[in-house]
């Protein structure tokens, strides 16, 4: 379980950054060169490479160099693992909320509190 947890930690850490999420969103549409990924970003090519390194270290992205061109693509396995973890958490939260709803709807309403000085 610790290995799975470390993998998720790295994935969520990598996805915590807006720029890296933008890169992942672009790569979900298909492979792209580093220069193509850098075009819409307001940063230097070395800065984009640092972000890609974090994504690769997290297992979210793979890259291949052919000549002078580095092409990146998404590795769906890590994204799938993160998605499965989130889905399991959501299922757990929904079950707890359903139980709370059942508990609250099954209890009779509390009787009104007697007001001071009210003698019947």
């Amino acid at each position: 379980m610790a290995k799975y947890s470390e993998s998720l930690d790295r994935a969520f850490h990598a996805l915590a950054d807006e720029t890296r999420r933008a890169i992942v969103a672009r790569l979900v549409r298909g492979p792209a060169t580093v220069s193509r990924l850098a075009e819409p970003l307001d940063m230097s090519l070395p800065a984009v490479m640092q972000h890609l390194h974090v994504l690769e270290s997290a297992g979210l992205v793979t890259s291949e160099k052919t000549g002078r061109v580095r092409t990146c693509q998404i590795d769906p396995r890590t994204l799938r693992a993160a998605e499965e973890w989130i889905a399991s958490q959501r299922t757990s939260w929904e079950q707890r909320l359903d139980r709370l709803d059942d508990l609250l709807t099954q209890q009779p309403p509390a009787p009104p509190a007697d007001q001071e000085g009210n003698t019947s």
Side-chain angles (χ1 to χ4, degrees), residues 5 12 17 21 43-45 55 64 67 85 88 97 106 113 115:
S5 179
F12 285 125
D17 182 85
R21 287 192 307 273
M43 63 181 59
S44 67
L45 198 57
L55 290 168
E64 179 179 296
W85 183 85
S88 72
L97 288 172
Q106 289 176 2
Q115 295 177 356

Side-chain angles (χ1 to χ4, degrees), residues 19-80:
T19 298
R20 291 191 288 267
R21 287 192 307 273
I23 291 171
V24 167
R26 168 53 189 90
L27 290 174
V28 166
R29 297 191 318 255
T33 63
V34 172
S35 57
R36 183 71 68 178
L37 291 170
E39 283 176 3
L41 303 173
D42 187 28
M43 63 181 59
S44 67
L45 198 57
V48 172
M49 290 297 294
Q50 287 179 339
H51 283 292
L52 285 168
H53 178 71
V54 171
L55 290 168
E56 284 189 84
S57 296
L60 293 163
V61 170
T62 60
S63 70
E64 179 179 296
K65 189 171 184 177
T66 305
R68 296 180 66 183
V69 178
R70 180 168 295 279
T71 302
C72 302
Q73 63 184 13
I74 208 74
D75 185 342
R77 294 174 295 181
T78 303
L79 276 178
R80 196 172 301 118

